């Protein structure tokens, strides 16, 4: 006999509603002004909460950016994984995974670069930072799975190569020299580097 779905309590609903308001406020302000030009007070005001309440959900602006960007990264990764299923070639399938992630990161270049910096240098004990690292690990797992389509690449080698691929992708997105580059230019740069890594 199926169990009845558990009802979410008022407290949990209130917490989720505040989190949704914070996420929407931060997302809108970051997109409009860039993360560096937005204060936590502005986000709290737009979300209609106190700054003390805001800091219960994210302890600083970097964590707020991670909160906002993680959801779009997760959507981009899901899109890339689905696309890779339809692509037969290994290199093309890897690029199918990477393409939406790069496009997502470059919607607002400064915010995307700050997100990568927070992912590398932020506090891994913080929940939104932890989630960002988990998304990076999922990206590597997806790439490794595609690489293993090539019979010459064993599981351990695929994991190592996927780690290198992720590093290439993040460095290409974060590099100051690439600030003015389009998504296609960055993807071409990444493709050329990955091509060198694969067996011939």
């Amino acid at each position: 006999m199926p169990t009845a779905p558990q009802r979410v309590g008022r407290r949990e609903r209130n917490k989720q509603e505040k989190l949704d308001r914070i996420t929407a406020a931060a997302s809108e302000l970051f997109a409009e002004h860039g993360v560096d030009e937005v204060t936590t007070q502005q986000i709290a005001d737009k979300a209609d909460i106190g700054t003390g309440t805001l800091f219960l959900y994210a302890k600083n602006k970097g964590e707020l950016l991670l909160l906002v960007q993680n959801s779009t990264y997760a959507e981009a990764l899901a899109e890339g994984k689905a696309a890779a299923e339809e692509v037969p070639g290994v290199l093309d399938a890897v690029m199918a995974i990477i393409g939406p992630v790069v496009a997502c990161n470059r919607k607002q270049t400064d915010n995307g670069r700050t997100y990568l910096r927070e992912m590398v240098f932020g506090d891994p004990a913080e929940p939104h930072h932890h989630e960002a690292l988990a998304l990076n690990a999922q990206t590597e797992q997806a790439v490794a799975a595609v690489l293993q389509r090539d019979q010459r690449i064993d599981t351990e080698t695929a994991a190592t190569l996927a780690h290198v691929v992720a590093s290439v992708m993040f460095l290409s997105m974060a590099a100051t020299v690439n600030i003015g580059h389009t998504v296609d230019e960055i993807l071409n740069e990444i493709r050329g580097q990955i091509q060198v890594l694969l067996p011939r």
Side-chain angles (χ1 to χ4, degrees):
M1 182 173 166
T3 58
Q6 291 188 340
R7 290 176 50 185
V8 177
R10 180 180 298 163
R11 184 176 179 190
E12 288 73 23
R13 286 198 308 272
N14 286 342
K15 284 177 67 176
Q16 185 59 52
E17 191 263 338
K18 282 179 186 169
L19 179 61
D20 291 345
R21 289 199 333 249
I22 291 166
T23 304
S27 179
E28 185 178 330
L29 288 168
F30 290 159
E32 187 175 342
H33 303 290
V35 67
D36 291 337
E37 301 303 317
V38 175
T39 66
T40 52
Q41 184 64 59
Q42 288 172 313
I43 294 168
D45 289 345
K46 190 164 189 67
D48 195 26
I49 58 170
T51 51
T53 301
L54 178 70
F55 292 132
L56 294 175
Y57 292 84
K59 77 173 191 177
N60 55 44
K61 196 162 59 169
E63 278 290 300
L64 284 166
L65 179 64
L66 291 169
L67 167 66
V68 168
Q69 295 284 92
N70 283 345
S71 61
T72 55
Y73 185 154
E75 291 168 7
L77 179 57
E79 178 187 336
K81 287 165 70 175
E85 294 292 325
E86 307 299 321
V87 177
V90 170
L91 177 59
D92 288 339
V94 168
M95 294 308 299
I97 293 170
I98 289 173
V101 174
V102 173
C104 165
N105 182 266
R106 302 298 283 194
K107 281 180 184 170
Q108 216 285 0
T109 303
D110 289 340
N111 290 351
R113 295 177 72 233
T114 303
Y115 174 76
L116 298 174
R117 186 174 67 234
E118 287 294 330
M119 186 186 291
V120 173
F121 297 110
D123 182 353
E126 289 299 313
H128 307 304
H129 185 273
H130 181 76
E131 184 183 352
L133 294 178
L135 286 165
N136 181 51
Q138 291 168 32
T139 304
E140 290 187 20
Q141 289 163 4
V143 170
V146 165
L147 291 172
Q148 286 181 83
R149 294 179 188 176
D150 186 325
Q151 301 290 322
R152 297 166 295 175
I153 301 177
D154 61 36
T155 303
E156 186 175 340
T157 303
T160 301
L161 285 172
H163 188 66
V164 175
V165 167
S167 300
V168 166
M169 178 179 71
F170 285 122
L171 186 58
S172 295
M173 290 189 296
T176 303
V177 71
N178 288 346
I179 285 178
H181 288 189
T182 66
V183 170
D184 285 342
E185 287 171 333
I186 291 173
L187 287 173
N188 285 337
E189 175 182 310
I190 293 169
R191 184 185 186 93
Q193 294 179 67
I194 293 173
Q195 194 164 19
V196 172
L197 297 171
L198 300 181
R200 298 185 181 190

